[in-house]
Amino acid sequence: MKDKAAEAFVGALKNAVIDFVSYLPETRLSGILPLLRRDSTFKVVPTTSEAEAVSIAAGAALAGRRPAVYMEGTGVYVSAYSLLTVGERFGVPMLLLVSYIGSFDDKMNSAAFSHYGKVDRLLESIGIEHRVVSRVEDLEEQMENAVRVMYSLKLPVALLFTGEFTR
């Protein structure tokens, strides 16, 4: 991810009043991590698995924080049980920031990871609202919409990042 895209990403999180980010590092969106760590607005918590990141974000939400979970597309599969049991069953809002590996707009090895490009179907099957974001100029609006919807539904909501975010 280019520096301008990373800055826009972190700025959109701030504008959406997200103040907590748990994550398992990956390559496509990793440019946001140094910016998040330097910004005192955010409590940033690294984890060893996406399921753990979801559980930690749920705890943060229950303690009054406004959480996001940053993960690779395959992490949605790993965290599906936690998303269902914690997010859905207890009605815990959290924003999932997912690098959309294998989408048509993925600029990094799309063909090699095309079988992972079905994360949107998994999200649909477990009832998680989601949108694909491929252009930096759409980021602010999509982030605000996602946060509004997650609090309206009191459920996890996902943004799948591809295109300009994968250069």
Side-chain angles (χ1 to χ4, degrees):
M1 175 187 297
K2 294 184 178 181
D3 290 344
K4 282 192 173 189
E7 289 170 12
F9 198 107
V10 172
L13 285 171
K14 276 177 106 166
N15 290 341
V17 197
I18 296 296
D19 64 1
F20 184 95
V21 179
S22 57
Y23 72 95
L24 186 68
E26 58 81 58
T27 56
R28 284 164 177 75
L29 305 179
S30 62
I32 67 171
L33 291 175
L35 301 174
L36 289 170
R37 286 189 199 112
R38 283 195 300 263
D39 192 323
S40 63
T41 303
F42 302 100
K43 173 69 175 167
V44 182
V45 178
T47 66
T48 58
S49 97
E50 294 88 346
E52 180 182 76
V54 166
S55 296
I56 289 170
L62 294 172
R65 302 301 294 252
R66 295 175 58 98
V69 180
Y70 158 49
M71 67 179 79
E72 185 174 271
T74 55
V76 176
Y77 292 90
V78 173
S79 63
Y81 180 77
S82 295
L83 287 166
L84 280 170
T85 58
V86 176
E88 177 101 12
R89 189 173 297 159
F90 295 112
V92 178
M94 68 183 80
L95 179 61
L96 306 177
L97 308 168
V98 181
S99 66
Y100 194 8
I101 294 175
S103 77
F104 279 7
D105 292 334
D106 183 357
K107 306 299 182 200
M108 297 176 67
N109 301 320
S110 273
F113 297 108
S114 62
H115 60 287
Y116 293 128
K118 303 197 178 27
V119 69
D120 54 340
R121 293 181 191 162
L122 174 61
L123 290 166
E124 287 170 14
S125 72
I126 61 177
I128 294 180
E129 292 292 327
H130 63 280
R131 295 291 179 269
V132 175
V133 184
S134 60
R135 299 178 333 156
V136 173
E137 67 189 55
D138 298 332
L139 177 60
E140 189 84 29
E141 180 179 12
Q142 292 286 0
M143 189 86 65
E144 287 176 11
N145 289 342
V147 170
R148 178 180 40 78
V149 169
M150 82 182 202
Y151 280 107
S152 175
L153 296 175
K154 295 185 178 25
L155 293 171
V157 169
L159 292 175
L160 306 175
F161 293 92
T162 189
E164 293 179 4
F165 299 96
T166 61
R167 289 190 177 145

